[in-house]
Each structure stands twice: as structure tokens, then as C-alpha cells.
Amino acid sequence: MTNVNLKKEPISNSEWRVMRIIWSLGSATTAEVIENLDQQEDWQPSTVKTLMRRLENKGYLTDDGVVRGRSFAPLISESDAMLSAGDDLFSSMCAMKKGMVLTHLVEDTDISKSDIDEMITILTAKKIDAPDMVACDCLPGKGMACK
């Protein structure tokens, strides 16, 4: 598996659906992915095959080279893909508003008590050196441009 620092082309929501199945199964044939998606989506087999080909072209999947009944395996772990997607999303946001988005995500996401404990530990340590306010980085040289 790759590490999170390896930049890959972002994947669509539909491609995430395919990857989540393959990550869950460890590897899967096209037929297995279609069968599992059939329970969740009303997609044609050709749509699933197209998504899998795109994921292979983007470097997320590899196949075993068999002509019929190819088996696909992930080239990136689910955790690495999730962290990379989060990094990509946050790198495009105004620095001043990232805290608001994180707060919203924490409020609206089911998370375990152990995850909450870990976040509290990290936030407590981070608070020691945190600035009173994060400057806007939308317009270079305009420090507090966002309101």
C-alpha cells in the first residue's frame, strides 16, 4: 500500500462507493463489486466497470491480469485515501474557517468515545501553542480579509 503523501487524482463519490467495497473485501472481482453495489445502487454493470477502469487508471486499483473474472486489489489503503482526501479538501479552504468546518464535522459525525478522548488529548496539546486567531490566507498580504 502507498503512503498518504503520494498525491493521487481525487476520486468521485461513485468511485468511493466502489473502493469501499474493495477495501472491505480486500480484493474483488468486477462481478463481486456489481453484486454488492446492486444492494445499494441502481447502476448498470457497464457503469461499475467504467468506475473500476477509472480507479485503475488513477492508480487506486490493480488487477491480477486474468482476462475473465479479473480480481482487483487496492493500491492505497482506505485510511491513506481518507487522509489524503481530507488534506486535499482542507488545503483549498480559507485557513480562518477550517475550525468552523472541523466543529461542524465533530457535531454531525458519529464518533466513538475513544476517538473523542484522542481528539481531546490532541486539542489540549495543540491549544498551548495555538494563536488567538488564525489569519485569512485567501488574499495574499490581506491578513484578515475574510469576515
Side-chain angles (χ1 to χ4, degrees):
M1 301 271 170
T2 62
N3 71 37
V4 75
N5 295 325
L6 180 60
K7 283 293 180 193
K8 292 195 176 295
E9 184 178 341
I11 59 176
S12 69
N13 289 338
S14 299
E15 291 166 337
W16 274 102
R17 300 291 300 221
V18 170
M19 287 302 300
R20 288 180 59 205
I21 289 168
I22 294 172
W23 282 316
S24 295
L25 297 175
S27 67
T29 63
T30 305
E32 290 171 322
V33 174
I34 290 169
E35 179 184 329
N36 280 281
L37 278 171
D38 224 17
Q39 300 167 22
Q40 306 164 20
E41 304 290 344
D42 188 26
W43 293 347
Q44 295 297 316
S46 60
T47 300
V48 177
K49 290 175 187 176
T50 297
L51 292 170
M52 292 177 75
R53 187 172 43 257
R54 286 182 189 163
L55 287 163
E56 197 172 13
N57 291 339
K58 290 178 179 182
Y60 285 84
L61 290 178
T62 187
D63 71 69
D64 60 7
V66 174
V67 176
R68 289 256 186 236
R70 292 192 303 167
S71 182
F72 292 84
L75 287 171
I76 183 172
S77 72
E78 184 175 17
S79 296
D80 284 351
M82 292 171 67
L83 293 171
S84 181
D87 288 345
D88 287 347
L89 176 63
F90 274 78
S91 71
S92 62
M93 289 182 189
C94 171
M96 191 177 205
K97 296 180 180 166
K98 290 177 183 177
M100 172 195 65
V101 173
L102 287 169
T103 300
H104 169 78
L105 290 172
V106 169
E107 288 175 342
D108 286 0
T109 303
D110 290 335
I111 49 180
S112 69
K113 289 180 180 181
S114 64
D115 287 339
I116 292 169
D117 289 340
E118 185 177 355
M119 285 186 238
I120 289 169
T121 300
I122 291 168
L123 288 170
T124 300
K126 194 165 181 77
K127 185 175 181 179
I128 294 168
D129 297 320
D132 289 332
M133 180 177 241
V134 175
C136 168
D137 60 354
C138 296
L139 301 171
K142 302 287 185 197
M144 296 295 166
C146 292
K147 303 280 185 233

